[in-house]
């Protein structure tokens, strides 16, 4: 193995250790259209205001960053990068320029290495002082020439990275992204990975290593997992956090708070850079709450031995000093702990000002001499005119109420969880359609499901885009209490009570069975079903009103970012709302027909939504396994009505198309069941229901 350029990081020839500050900020590192320049600058302003210190430029779909990494920057691109560097400097934010040459680089070629050096020299001459070399998401293979020179893939990466680090005169901030950048991609495991051990032993000790956690997009990151990788890498990693990334599922957008990472994690990492939504304006809450997490002092405790010689644990919170005063009000009752809910409420309070404020459209170019300026709402001039009185605050028009701001986060929460009202909506829908037939007649007149059939209402095996238990969705909701309030007031009250805590629904007690046992039917149960249907319609109306209000916000950049996701959600809510309305409109006999199929095992949420992970559904999964968010989950909970086109097991189809002509006269309930099993094609009421679901 050739490690002539890697000796500085080996234990036999230690490199002088530099004292590092704790990195905090944003990495623009997603797949998809890069952010517009004026929105980048607005992001820099937020980072500076909130006490964060870093921005990494690494858009995967910037050709010069990845696919065409050898090509030098054009004059126009140089002007743009220069303007971004200057805009960062103005906000005391460190601009980190990243390059990703791993798709096709010949690691043993001096010419290839010179291409890389020349590209980075161009950026260094613009005043950039921080850099990163990324080898993520590439094939684990080398060409023949590389195989002759290097004994491993990791050795080639270390050679190139150390050479670039030395060429750039050992910058204070220099980051490296390994190919095995998370626990699930370490072969065979983190502790036994030859790749990671090679990086830890031979990469210069002052080069930071990026790490996403146990998964690419982990729900939680434990201290133990970070200690483990820190021991292998012989340094504290820099967390590249994909919690709010949505490039794998553009139907979804994540507006929930930063969570799932304990404050004590900061003792064992060198920094955290969030790789957020592809939609820049949708990242206010994500970055705001991360800044709060970075600013709160780590709870005092005796830490285990730190495997990294870099920096000091006591310096981790000092780099975010200004944010401590700016965001001190969001701390929990004990100032030493981070509360995602409290951080979210403060973020929403600040965000509401921007949601209701208009910004200009993106200009095609950005240069340091002409930074973008933002006109306040109500400006009669469509051009971007500098504000001659910057001290005068803008007076936005409040289009979205505080409750609607909370609801907006609730319905577009996080990759692994829905907000409380969203879970409530799913529970309502699931209970309504599965208990519909039982609400209309005495179960004693039809065979009730046996105890072993009760799992027909179990959704624990259904892949929803977000994780929650069957109990959290299945048990019947209490009947709405009589109220003299009008519908809009009641809807607002319900939304407020459910949206104050956007964590997952907690189950306080064992849920009752969603179906009444045989012989317990009563008019009161039928009334309860009707009340729950009315409450469901009210909840749907609340979500629809949010969509209508959101479409009126003056911040058109944010509107454009979330528009498609909002429209998809409204469409799904309309479909499930119409479905319940149609269930309500069925006659008693028609509902009895449905009951026969409700008790059939084949009538469940669509088989297309069940994956091989269903039997082992845990938090240890990547959210791209099930896509679509709340909109898709609502549709997943609808019954698979396609099976209704086939008679139930044991019931023979008629030999002719005479419909119900051969059906004997029977009592009403039995007649409806018999006619239903003999009809071909489906009854008209079922034909109306099926397209609503099968259209998806």
């Amino acid at each position: 193995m050739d490690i002539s350029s890697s000796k500085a990081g080996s234990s036999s020839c230690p490199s002088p250790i530099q004292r590092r500050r704790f990195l905090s900020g944003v990495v623009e590192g997603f797949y998809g259209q890069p952010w517009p320049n004026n929105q980048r600058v607005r992001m820099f302003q937020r980072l500076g205001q909130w006490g964060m210190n870093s921005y990494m430029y690494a858009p995967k779909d910037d050709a010069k960053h990845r696919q065409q990494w050898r090509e030098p920057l054009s004059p126009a691109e140089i002007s743009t990068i220069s303007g971004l560097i200057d805009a960062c400097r103005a906000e005391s934010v460190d601009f980190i320029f990243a390059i990703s040459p791993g798709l096709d680089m010949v690691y043993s070629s001096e010419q290839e290495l010179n291409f890389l050096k020349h590209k980075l020299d161009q950026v260094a001459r613009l005043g950039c002082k921080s850099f990163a070399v990324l080898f993520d998401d590439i094939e684990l293979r080398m060409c023949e020439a590389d195989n002759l020179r290097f004994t491993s893939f990791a050795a080639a990466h270390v050679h190139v990275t150390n050479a670039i680090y030395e060429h750039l005169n050992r910058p204070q901030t220099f980051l490296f992204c390994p190919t095995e950048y998370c626990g699930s991609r370490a072969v065979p495991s983190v502790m036994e990975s030859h790749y990671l051990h090679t990086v830890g032993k031979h990469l210069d000790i002052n080069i930071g290593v990026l790490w996403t956690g146990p998964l690419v997009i982990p729900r939680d990151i434990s201290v133990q997992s970070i200690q483990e990788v820190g021991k292998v890498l012989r340094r504290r990693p820099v967390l590249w956090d994909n919690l709010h990334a949505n490039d794998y599922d553009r139907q979804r957008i994540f507006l929930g708070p930063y969570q799932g990472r304990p404050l004590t994690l900061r003792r064992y990492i060198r920094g955290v850079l969030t790789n957020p939504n592809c939609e820049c304006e949708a990242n206010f809450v994500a970055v705001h709450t991360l800044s709060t997490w970075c600013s709160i002092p780590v709870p005092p405790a005796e830490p285990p031995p730190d495997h990294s010689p870099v920096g000091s644990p006591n310096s981790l919170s000092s780099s975010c000093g200004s944010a401590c005063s700016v965001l001190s009000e969001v701390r929990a009752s004990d100032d030493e702990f981070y509360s995602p809910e409290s951080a979210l409420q403060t973020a929403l309070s600040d965000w509401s000002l921007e949601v209701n404020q208009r910004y200009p459209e993106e200009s095609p170019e950005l240069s340091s001499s002409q930074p973008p300026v933002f006109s306040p709402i109500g400006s009669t001039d469509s051009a971007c005119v500098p504000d001659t009185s910057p001290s005068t605050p803008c007076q936005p028009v409040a289009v979205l109420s505080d409750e609607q701001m909370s609801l907006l986060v609730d319905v577009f929460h996080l990759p692994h969880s829905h907000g409380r009202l969203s879970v409530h909506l799913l529970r309502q829908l699931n209970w309504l359609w599965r208990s519909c037939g039982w609400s209309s007649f005495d179960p004693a007149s039809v065979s009730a499901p046996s105890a072993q059939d009760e799992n027909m209402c179990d959704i624990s095996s259904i892949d929803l885009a977000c994780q929650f238990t069957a109990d959290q969705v299945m048990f019947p909701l209490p009947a709405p209490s009589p109220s003299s309030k009008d519908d809009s007031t009641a809807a607002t009250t319900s939304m407020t009570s459910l949206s104050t805590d956007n964590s997952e629904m907690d189950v306080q007690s064992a849920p009752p069975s969603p179906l009444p046992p045989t012989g317990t039917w009563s008019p009161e149960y039928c009334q309860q079903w009707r009340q729950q249907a009315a409450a469901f319609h009210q909840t749907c109306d609340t979500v629809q009103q949010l969509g209508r209000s959101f479409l009126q916000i003056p911040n058109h950049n944010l509107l454009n970012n979330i528009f498609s996701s909002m429209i998809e959600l409204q469409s799904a809510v309309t479909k499930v709302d119409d479905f319940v309305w149609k269930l309500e409109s069925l006659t008693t006999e028609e509902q009895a027909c449905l009951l026969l199929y409700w008790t059939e095992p084949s009538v469940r949420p669509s088989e297309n939504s069940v994956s091989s992970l269903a039997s082992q559904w845990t938090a240890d999964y990547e959210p791209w396994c099930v896509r679509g968010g709340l909109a898709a989950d609502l549709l997943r909970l609808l019954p698979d009505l396609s099976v209704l086109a086939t008679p139930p097991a044991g019931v023979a189809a008629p030999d002719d198309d005479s419909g119900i002509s051969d059906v004997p006269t029977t009592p009403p309930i039995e007649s409806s069941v018999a006619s239903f099993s003999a009809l071909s094609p489906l009854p008209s009421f079922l034909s109306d229901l099926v397209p609503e679901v099968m259209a998806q």
Side-chain angles (χ1 to χ4, degrees):
M1 175 179 67
D2 182 353
I3 57 171
S4 59
S5 299
S6 308
K7 291 175 64 177
S10 66
S11 57
S12 59
C13 185
S15 173
I17 298 171
Q18 301 179 9
R19 190 175 182 84
R20 305 289 184 179
R21 63 174 178 172
F22 186 81
L23 302 180
S24 61
V26 169
V27 50
E28 184 182 343
F30 50 81
Y31 292 90
Q33 183 176 356
W35 288 339
N37 288 324
N38 68 335
Q39 294 183 25
R40 283 173 174 151
V41 174
R42 191 149 57 248
M43 177 63 74
F44 303 160
Q45 294 169 346
R46 292 168 180 165
L47 293 176
Q49 177 185 357
W50 300 335
M52 308 184 85
N53 56 43
S54 301
Y55 162 81
M56 183 191 294
Y57 179 89
K60 293 289 194 298
D61 284 8
D62 179 347
K64 297 291 182 71
H65 165 75
R66 189 170 171 87
Q67 288 86 357
Q68 303 171 17
W69 63 269
R70 297 177 183 83
E71 297 186 15
L73 299 174
S74 67
E77 291 165 339
I78 288 176
S79 177
T80 296
I81 296 297
S82 178
L84 294 175
I85 293 172
D86 291 344
C88 274
R89 185 182 299 113
E91 303 298 333
S92 300
V93 173
D94 190 19
F95 182 90
I96 305 172
F97 183 84
I99 192 165
S100 182
L103 286 177
D104 58 358
M105 183 177 187
V106 179
Y107 303 108
S108 58
S109 169
E110 287 300 320
Q111 183 181 23
E112 295 276 79
L113 192 59
N114 288 334
F115 282 138
L116 200 54
K117 293 177 180 178
H118 176 68
K119 183 76 159 286
L120 297 178
D121 283 342
Q122 280 188 296
V123 182
R125 287 193 291 267
L126 302 177
C128 181
K129 298 180 180 179
S130 300
F131 299 88
V133 178
L134 314 181
F135 293 105
D136 56 323
D137 300 342
I138 60 175
E139 295 292 334
L140 297 174
R141 64 188 181 201
M142 296 187 295
C143 66
E144 183 178 352
D146 291 341
N147 284 321
L148 292 175
R149 181 169 179 183
F150 303 108
T151 59
S152 69
F153 204 48
H157 288 175
V158 167
H159 163 75
V160 170
T161 305
N162 281 342
I164 295 299
Y165 180 63
E166 293 294 338
H167 174 77
L168 294 172
N169 296 320
R170 307 173 63 81
Q172 184 179 24
T173 299
F174 192 90
L175 305 178
F176 163 79
C177 184
T179 303
E180 297 181 8
Y181 56 82
C182 65
S184 63
R185 301 200 174 188
V187 180
S189 66
V190 171
M191 295 303 295
E192 298 176 350
S193 168
H194 178 269
Y195 182 99
L196 294 178
H197 276 285
T198 300
V199 169
K201 182 177 181 180
H202 297 291
L203 189 70
D204 190 291
I205 196 62
N206 292 300
I207 298 176
V209 178
L210 295 161
W211 185 254
T212 67
L215 299 170
V216 179
I217 307 172
R219 175 176 182 154
D220 302 291
I221 301 178
S222 68
V223 169
Q224 181 181 359
S225 69
I226 293 299
Q227 288 177 317
E228 185 179 71
V229 70
K231 182 177 181 179
V232 174
L233 295 175
R234 307 186 183 192
R235 72 200 76 204
R236 293 175 293 161
V238 176
L239 190 60
W240 173 311
D241 204 327
N242 289 317
L243 179 62
H244 290 87
N246 70 336
D247 52 356
Y248 57 90
D249 186 359
R250 295 300 298 275
Q251 291 179 287
R252 306 185 68 184
I253 200 161
F254 303 120
L255 308 180
Y258 190 75
Q259 63 183 44
R261 287 85 173 118
L263 276 182
T264 50
L265 198 69
R266 296 219 314 265
R267 291 198 184 98
Y268 310 105
I269 59 176
R270 184 180 149 187
V272 55
L273 302 175
T274 180
N275 181 36
N277 295 281
C278 299
E279 298 79 11
C280 186
E281 286 299 311
N283 292 316
F284 189 99
V285 171
V287 180
H288 195 292
T289 54
L290 172 60
S291 71
T292 306
W293 186 87
C294 291
S295 69
I296 297 177
V298 178
E302 186 65 28
D306 189 353
H307 300 288
S308 169
V310 181
S312 167
N314 296 327
S315 67
L316 296 184
S317 61
S318 61
S319 63
C320 300
S322 62
C324 292
S325 59
V326 174
L327 300 172
S328 60
E329 67 274 11
V330 304
R331 297 178 183 176
S333 56
D334 185 341
D335 285 355
E336 293 176 344
F337 295 91
Y338 169 74
S339 166
E341 292 76 24
S342 297
L344 172 62
Q345 292 307 311
T346 299
L348 289 180
S349 178
D350 292 345
W351 194 30
S352 64
L353 300 177
E354 294 209 12
V355 168
N356 297 303
Q357 181 172 333
R358 179 176 292 113
Y359 290 99
E361 298 299 325
E362 164 65 353
S363 56
E365 295 183 0
L366 173 70
S367 66
S368 58
S369 60
Q370 294 180 331
V373 291
F374 314 121
S375 58
I377 183 174
S379 173
T380 57
D381 189 349
S382 60
C384 301
V385 181
D387 186 359
T388 56
S389 56
S391 61
T392 303
C394 175
Q395 300 296 329
V397 179
V399 177
L400 295 184
S401 65
D402 292 343
E403 293 80 8
Q404 287 178 320
M405 291 293 296
S406 295
L407 181 58
L408 184 64
V409 172
D410 190 287
V411 296
F412 300 117
H413 199 233
L414 288 171
H416 305 86
S417 63
H418 288 310
R420 291 178 62 85
L421 186 132
S422 300
V423 173
H424 183 73
L425 187 66
L426 291 164
R427 289 172 53 213
Q428 285 180 312
L429 172 63
N430 197 68
W431 184 82
L432 284 168
W433 81 258
R434 290 185 181 276
S435 57
C436 173
W438 290 95
S439 68
S440 304
F441 60 91
D442 188 345
S445 63
V446 178
S447 298
S450 62
Q452 54 265 37
D453 291 331
E454 288 183 359
N455 63 353
M456 74 174 192
C457 290
D458 183 15
I459 65 165
S460 62
S461 63
I462 303 304
D463 282 357
L464 299 180
C466 297
Q467 166 77 11
F468 46 83
T469 67
D471 289 348
Q472 292 170 328
V473 179
M474 283 311 308
F475 65 92
L477 304 167
S481 58
S483 175
S484 59
K485 296 180 181 180
D486 56 63
D487 290 346
S488 61
T489 304
T492 302
T493 303
S494 174
M495 177 180 67
T496 304
S497 62
L498 286 168
S499 300
T500 53
D501 180 4
N502 283 280
S503 61
E504 294 177 83
M505 186 75 70
D506 292 326
V507 181
Q508 301 298 330
S509 60
S513 170
L515 299 180
T518 303
T520 62
W521 177 89
S522 66
E524 289 74 16
Y525 187 84
C526 180
Q527 179 64 19
Q528 182 193 24
W529 193 95
R530 297 290 178 181
Q531 288 177 322
Q532 292 302 328
F536 177 78
H537 296 315
Q538 188 177 87
T539 307
C540 290
D541 289 343
T542 301
V543 177
Q544 296 286 33
Q545 181 57 49
L546 169 67
R548 290 190 292 270
S549 298
F550 183 80
L551 296 179
Q552 303 300 318
I553 64 172
N555 187 336
H556 291 173
N557 287 329
L558 177 61
L559 176 61
N560 292 336
N561 282 178
I562 305 183
F563 177 81
S564 61
S565 298
M566 182 64 74
I567 292 299
E568 286 189 15
L569 177 61
Q570 286 188 293
S571 175
V573 170
T574 298
K575 281 183 170 60
V576 297
D577 196 29
D578 288 347
F579 176 79
V580 174
W581 277 115
K582 289 180 180 180
L583 290 180
E584 289 187 84
S585 68
L586 299 181
T587 65
T588 299
E589 290 76 15
E590 289 171 337
Q591 290 194 15
C593 292
L594 290 181
L595 178 64
L596 179 64
Y597 283 86
W598 276 192
T599 58
E600 286 292 315
S602 57
V603 182
R604 297 170 183 264
S606 173
E607 292 296 324
N608 293 331
S609 68
V610 181
S611 76
S612 60
L613 295 177
S615 61
Q616 47 185 347
W617 196 242
T618 67
D620 297 329
Y621 74 101
E622 297 287 6
W624 59 68
C625 296
V626 184
R627 306 188 180 193
L630 176 60
D633 281 354
L634 286 168
L635 300 180
R636 286 187 183 99
L637 287 183
L638 292 179
D640 184 2
L641 294 179
S642 63
V643 301
L644 299 184
T646 304
V651 178
D655 295 331
D656 54 44
D657 296 331
S658 57
I660 62 173
S661 60
D662 296 331
V663 176
T665 302
T666 56
I669 296 298
E670 296 177 6
S671 173
S672 61
V673 172
S675 63
F676 178 73
S677 64
L679 284 176
S680 176
L682 292 174
S684 60
F685 77 92
L686 285 175
S687 299
D688 291 339
L689 285 174
V690 171
E692 289 294 331
V693 181
M694 297 308 295
Q696 296 301 313

